[in-house]
Amino acid sequence: MISKSNFLLTLNQKFFLKILLIVFCIIPIFSGINSIPPLDRDESRFSQSSYQMVESNDYINIKFQDEIRAKKPIGIYWLQTFSAKVFGIDNISSYRLPSTVAAFITILTLWFFSKKIFGRKVALLITLLFSTNIIFVSEAHIAKTDTVLLSLICLQQYLLFLIIFEKEKSYKFDYLIPLLMWLAISAGILIKGPISLIIFLLTTIFYCILRKSISILKRIKPLMGLVIAAITLLPWIINVEQSTDGSFLYKAMQEDFIPKLISGQEGHGAYPGFYILFSTFILWPLACFLPISILFVLQKKSNSAIQYLLCWIIPYWLIIELVPTKLIHYPLPILPPLIMLISASLLFYEKNDAIIKNMKIKNLFFSLSILLGLGGVIFGCILYYFAIKFGNSDNYLLFIISIISLLIFLCVFIFTTFKNYLLIFTPKFTSSFWKFCLIFKNIKFLIILISINYFFIFSFILPSLEKLYPSKLVFNELKNIKYESISSVGFHEPSLVFFLKGNIILSNSHEGAIFLAEGQNNLVLVEERSKNEFEIFAKNLELKLKEIKKIEGFNYSKGKNIKIYFYKSIH
């Protein structure tokens, strides 16, 4: 019988674990969402389009300035406009908040999901480890579709798991869970098109094949799904098609979806194997445990829950490897099951010896783990280089913090390498030094280190890389210049449009010269590569140009150093 004091202690422990979960999940995903300037290019396009929705009070049509933006469905714009109306339409953080909140919802869903498969104690560590993933944390800071989509995919896959594995016959599992699942799938389609449906279908079909049973197909209630999808999607689709004369879906298919399938869209093409090659970055800090997790999966391959997670991962991974367009965040929808398996294997082999009898295989596993663990060190070196190249030379604190960040990345690499050594070789230490080192094998030490590092990166390092944000430099200079209207020649980055809330004309050299001639107090921004051509056109129009300012920065969207000149005409 449990005594009252032990019962209270147990309650306090559970409460402490929940608080720990919340704190260490909040630190990485909420740090810096207001201090990092608007990013190019997708974030600023989404944010500006949402801003225009609020300003125009048109919540059906998606536009970036005067152009129809048919890249993604309406869902993310509705979330961003709601957030902007509540928290302020001028701050970039208002548009990022849906992604940040969605990241937190993903973490909570993963907690319940992991608990269902592996139990409470393992689920806590899985959730904390997931919250340290660099791609997940980075996407949580960006006002785009991907993190919101991830939260819905994680929810739909959890509900599908309950439908498959809960054998109880009740209203809850026969109707309520399928209803919620189809709502999540439909919402996912409204956020980013068919991705959520594709993952759902692939998981279901491959699991049916693996289990040699189609009984699941009846339990997921496909007819209910069709009805819910129709109710959820058709009203907006009909309205947007009517208001754009049927051009929205055509543009979406022709300019976004199909080009990604047949070629590397916007220069983002790569060969199959790209994501495996870059897994050291995609799965950091847990990439180094991939070799040991493969062993875990092979040992547990008959477990139906492990099979379900593999059916979620493998088919989608193969598809994104085959699709020509490659972006580092495309594996995001399968990060939850991947990290669940890696984390579970890590915790399993802490208590059970890895059965690897061949020393050559042990050495191979350890060598691979070292290579896969280098992603963080590379990240740290890149950040330090960025601090030197793009930071203010007088900002000594930036250099100190970037060095500390690099040292933390190195510590994580040493920690994970040591951890892998323990798991793969299972040594028996006798010296006092090595026994002391065993103190640091606790995985919570890794979580604390990484959370602190993310705070440094997102709250201080990235916001301090001033030259990396030329649009912000331009915007700061414009505060001190009086002008009536403004045009930009050559520099057409969406972040500048967002800073100026659409009140800018993006033009070529000829149009910029004419714009300057037509106004008494107009201002033209000219990027260096367009400067000579602009001056020739201005000379032809007999304009007397006055260069009033020049800024220098780095356009990371094009990978080029740039100079932007501020021109007025002397009348």
Side-chain angles (χ1 to χ4, degrees), residues 31-37 92-93 96 458-460 462-464 472:
S31 298
I33 64 165
N34 194 41
S35 51
I36 300 171
I92 187 61
S93 58
R96 287 173 175 161
F458 290 102
S459 295
F460 193 83
L462 292 179
S464 300
K472 186 179 180 182

Side-chain angles (χ1 to χ4, degrees), residues 115-134:
K115 190 171 68 168
K116 201 75 178 173
I117 299 175
F118 301 107
R120 178 184 291 272
K121 186 178 178 181
V122 177
L124 176 66
L125 286 171
I126 286 174
T127 310
L128 287 169
L129 286 168
F130 181 78
S131 69
T132 64
N133 177 262
I134 199 159

Side-chain angles (χ1 to χ4, degrees), residues 26-46:
I26 284 176
I27 289 173
I29 63 176
F30 281 87
S31 298
I33 64 165
N34 194 41
S35 51
I36 300 171
L39 302 175
D40 286 313
R41 293 176 173 149
D42 281 349
E43 177 178 65
S44 293
R45 286 170 178 158
F46 279 109

Side-chain angles (χ1 to χ4, degrees), residues 332-541:
L332 192 63
I334 54 173
L335 285 187
L338 272 167
I339 291 175
M340 284 168 77
L341 288 175
I342 294 170
S343 304
S345 65
L346 178 60
L347 297 169
F348 178 79
Y349 289 120
E350 279 188 344
K351 296 180 179 179
N352 304 277
D353 289 346
I355 306 170
I356 312 173
K357 295 180 180 178
N358 191 313
M359 185 56 69
K360 288 183 179 179
I361 295 175
K362 284 187 176 184
N363 290 331
L364 176 64
F365 270 39
F366 187 59
S367 300
L368 284 172
S369 72
I370 292 172
L371 286 173
L372 289 166
L374 287 171
V377 179
I378 296 169
F379 273 129
C381 292
I382 291 170
L383 279 174
Y384 180 67
Y385 170 76
F386 277 15
I388 294 169
K389 188 172 178 64
F390 304 119
N392 192 320
S393 58
D394 297 329
N395 192 345
Y396 298 111
L397 187 59
L398 170 62
F399 301 126
I400 293 168
I401 291 178
S402 61
I403 290 170
I404 293 170
S405 176
L406 175 57
L407 290 173
I408 292 175
F409 276 117
L410 284 168
C411 285
V412 170
F413 173 69
I414 293 166
F415 172 90
T416 52
T417 302
F418 181 58
K419 188 78 175 175
N420 265 301
Y421 178 77
L422 294 175
L423 295 175
I424 294 168
F425 293 101
T426 59
K428 307 298 180 186
F429 295 119
T430 54
S431 70
S432 57
F433 171 75
W434 286 111
K435 285 181 179 179
F436 172 77
C437 289
L438 290 175
I439 297 170
F440 300 102
K441 76 171 186 175
N442 194 315
I443 205 71
K444 292 170 187 174
F445 177 68
L446 176 74
I447 294 163
I448 292 167
L449 269 181
I450 296 169
S451 294
I452 293 168
N453 206 15
Y454 282 143
F455 176 77
F456 287 150
I457 292 168
F458 290 102
S459 295
F460 193 83
I461 297 176
L462 292 179
S464 300
L465 304 177
E466 295 176 3
K467 293 178 184 177
L468 210 56
Y469 311 110
S471 293
K472 186 179 180 182
L473 294 176
V474 170
F475 181 65
N476 289 339
E477 291 298 335
L478 290 175
K479 292 175 183 178
N480 304 315
I481 300 171
K482 292 182 179 180
Y483 62 90
E484 289 180 4
S485 298
I486 185 170
S487 176
S488 182
V489 175
F491 186 71
H492 292 172
E493 295 304 327
S495 56
L496 182 60
V497 179
F498 178 76
F499 268 118
L500 296 173
K501 299 298 176 281
N503 297 314
I504 184 170
I505 299 169
L506 306 179
S507 55
N508 58 35
S509 299
H510 187 207
E511 292 165 345
I514 293 171
F515 172 82
L516 201 58
E518 288 178 342
Q520 290 294 317
N521 193 29
N522 284 352
L523 178 68
V524 174
L525 309 173
V526 182
E527 206 266 311
E528 188 177 37
R529 62 191 171 90
S530 303
K531 185 173 181 284
N532 290 338
E533 189 180 26
F534 171 77
E535 288 176 347
I536 290 168
F537 282 119
K539 187 178 180 181
N540 292 338
L541 294 171

Side-chain angles (χ1 to χ4, degrees), residues 149-166:
L149 178 69
L150 175 65
S151 67
L152 292 166
I153 287 174
C154 203
L155 178 60
Q156 78 179 36
Q157 296 295 96
Y158 172 53
L159 295 171
L160 176 61
F161 179 86
L162 291 179
I163 291 169
I164 293 171
F165 288 90
E166 292 289 347

Side-chain angles (χ1 to χ4, degrees), residues 31-139:
S31 298
I33 64 165
N34 194 41
S35 51
I36 300 171
L39 302 175
D40 286 313
R41 293 176 173 149
D42 281 349
E43 177 178 65
S44 293
R45 286 170 178 158
F46 279 109
S47 303
Q48 176 60 25
S49 299
S50 298
Y51 171 84
Q52 289 179 209
M53 276 190 173
V54 178
E55 286 290 280
S56 64
N57 208 31
D58 179 358
Y59 299 100
I60 298 297
N61 295 293
I62 306 165
K63 288 186 177 181
F64 180 79
Q65 292 194 294
D66 295 325
E67 180 185 351
I68 293 174
R69 179 164 166 76
K71 294 285 186 180
K72 297 293 179 288
I74 195 68
I76 189 65
Y77 301 99
W78 282 344
L79 292 175
Q80 289 183 356
T81 53
F82 175 78
S83 177
K85 291 184 84 168
V86 173
F87 298 103
I89 62 173
D90 294 326
N91 299 324
I92 187 61
S93 58
S94 299
Y95 303 92
R96 287 173 175 161
L97 205 55
S99 294
T100 309
V101 172
F104 191 67
I105 291 170
T106 302
I107 288 167
L108 289 177
T109 306
L110 192 63
W111 155 256
F112 288 106
F113 204 159
S114 304
K115 190 171 68 168
K116 201 75 178 173
I117 299 175
F118 301 107
R120 178 184 291 272
K121 186 178 178 181
V122 177
L124 176 66
L125 286 171
I126 286 174
T127 310
L128 287 169
L129 286 168
F130 181 78
S131 69
T132 64
N133 177 262
I134 199 159
I135 300 297
F136 169 70
V137 173
S138 299
E139 288 295 322

